[in-house]
Amino acid sequence: MRLLIAESDHALYAERIRSACPDLQLVASTQPEQLRALAGGCDLWLGPPDLLAPLLREGLRPQWLQSTWAGITPLLAAGLPRDYRLSRAVGIFGQVMAEYVLGHMLAHERRLFARLAAQVEQRWDHSLPRSLRGRRVLVVGCGDIGQSVATFLQPFGVQLRGVASQAREQAPFAEVAAMEALPRLVAWADYVVNLLPDTPTTRDLYDADLLAHFREEAVLINAGRGVAVVDADLLAALERNQLAAAVIDVCREEPLPPGHPFWTAPRLLLTGHSSAPTDPALMSELFIDNLTRWQAGEPLRGEVNFARGY
């Protein structure tokens, strides 16, 4: 059995996978022509959706594809085959995403960027910071990453509520409501952390109507998908001071082109889709575990339901 590894760090993946699965033949590349030449002889593919989707479009397909991203949107494009097993990366991004969210929350409360600006201007800034204790945090998307973010934030004394596809009880959230409750909970929150996947129901979610419910002191952190935010509506809301700030990790078009209004928008920080990079060690562990499940004919961790889109 052969595994195609389509990752730039393929040597790290190969070292860990080979030690656990010595009978597995490993081939690797990130070059499109080489991938096309190798993919047809491989039952298993491991790599990012943007590199592997073109192979599917050319009629190649594995028995099982393990994505190294949490999102698998490129693999769901119209016309691509769906007669293979697909699993997305789960259980490996929780801490690093939580660190990203916490870092930007602390930066906002401690006024780090305002202090940096004051230092550049040689102006003494004696304004007092606030604590995270008591701050109201709304996590939109309460899957494994959202759960990890909430668990990570809990010791800081924040109030936690969540939004998911369906209402449910889920610790440590005081409430996890269905999507129709989003306007009500946005109006409650000091921080709105969007972690939703890209599905037809989550696109253009943060539009003018929803942004009008934000508190003037609130911060939007979008580390989910860029298509969830209507760019022009967010820009207008910031211009009108409908919310305090926005931290945008993901955009509709990446890389963001020169001249896009996000570059110069007031109180908007771009972080270049860097919130939760894939750790080869953790990703290799997930692949090895899923390989055992695949060989046994069992459900895979993060197995994608094509009809649902995640």
Side-chain angles (χ1 to χ4, degrees):
M1 188 177 303
R2 300 180 80 200
L3 167 66
L4 173 64
I5 305 175
E7 280 286 341
S8 57
D9 293 331
H10 54 79
L12 297 176
Y13 285 92
E15 179 183 1
R16 291 180 174 270
I17 294 171
R18 187 177 289 113
S19 64
C21 313
D23 296 331
L24 196 60
Q25 298 180 41
L26 308 181
V27 295
S29 179
T30 56
Q31 301 304 312
E33 291 186 6
Q34 292 181 354
L35 286 173
R36 282 194 295 271
L38 295 170
C42 296
D43 300 309
L44 312 177
W45 296 357
L46 170 66
D50 62 340
L51 281 181
L52 298 179
L55 304 179
L56 294 172
R57 193 169 298 282
E58 294 181 16
L60 301 168
R61 75 198 65 178
Q63 294 184 39
W64 162 44
L65 189 161
Q66 172 65 65
S67 168
T68 53
W69 294 357
I72 38 80
T73 301
L75 301 172
L76 302 178
L80 293 186
R82 299 188 171 192
D83 55 347
Y84 66 98
R85 296 180 75 178
L86 170 62
S87 53
R88 58 190 185 89
V90 296
I92 67 171
F93 298 114
Q95 177 166 336
V96 68
M97 182 64 83
E99 290 170 354
Y100 172 86
V101 171
L102 175 61
H104 287 287
M105 290 173 60
L106 287 171
H108 182 72
E109 296 296 342
R110 305 296 304 194
R111 296 175 44 81
L112 295 190
F113 296 110
R115 295 186 195 283
L116 177 60
Q119 181 175 340
V120 170
E121 298 170 3
Q122 299 187 31
R123 172 173 49 83
W124 185 255
D125 181 358
H126 188 58
S127 58
L128 299 180
R130 300 187 304 183
S131 169
L132 284 179
R133 178 167 297 280
R135 293 285 168 253
R136 295 173 287 191
V137 182
L138 176 64
V139 177
V140 187
C142 298
D144 69 288
I145 295 177
Q147 174 70 39
S148 294
V149 169
T151 302
F152 203 83
L153 293 177
Q154 186 183 23
F156 292 86
V158 301
Q159 301 178 57
L160 289 161
R161 297 187 182 182
V163 171
S165 56
Q166 295 180 335
R168 57 180 182 253
E169 292 187 4
Q170 182 177 337
F173 296 100
E175 174 190 8
V176 174
M179 291 293 291
E180 54 264 26
L182 189 54
R184 169 177 65 85
L185 290 174
V186 159
W188 165 86
D190 295 308
Y191 291 92
V192 178
V193 182
N194 182 65
L195 300 173
L196 290 171
D198 177 10
T199 69
T201 60
T202 62
R203 290 170 194 160
D204 301 327
L205 188 64
Y206 295 87
D207 60 8
D209 289 341
L210 183 60
L211 290 166
H213 288 82
F214 273 64
R215 303 173 66 246
E216 291 183 358
E217 301 85 2
V219 177
L220 170 64
I221 301 176
N222 184 21
R225 293 293 171 261
V227 293
V229 173
V230 179
D231 293 1
D233 291 355
L234 175 58
L235 291 163
L238 288 167
E239 291 283 358
R240 291 195 292 264
N241 295 312
Q242 287 180 315
L243 66 163
V247 179
I248 302 297
D249 189 55
V250 286
C251 299
R252 287 177 177 266
E253 183 180 357
E254 296 183 1
L256 195 69
H260 191 285
F262 275 3
W263 290 113
T264 55
R267 305 183 311 285
L268 187 152
L269 176 65
L270 292 166
T271 61
H273 208 145
S274 64
S275 61
T278 301
D279 182 325
L282 295 177
M283 188 65 238
S284 296
E285 291 177 10
L286 173 61
F287 172 80
I288 292 165
D289 179 46
N290 264 346
L291 178 62
T292 301
R293 295 167 182 264
W294 181 77
Q295 290 172 327
E298 298 175 354
L300 306 173
R301 290 173 59 194
E303 185 153 10
V304 172
N305 179 320
F306 282 102
R308 192 174 55 190
Y310 58 93

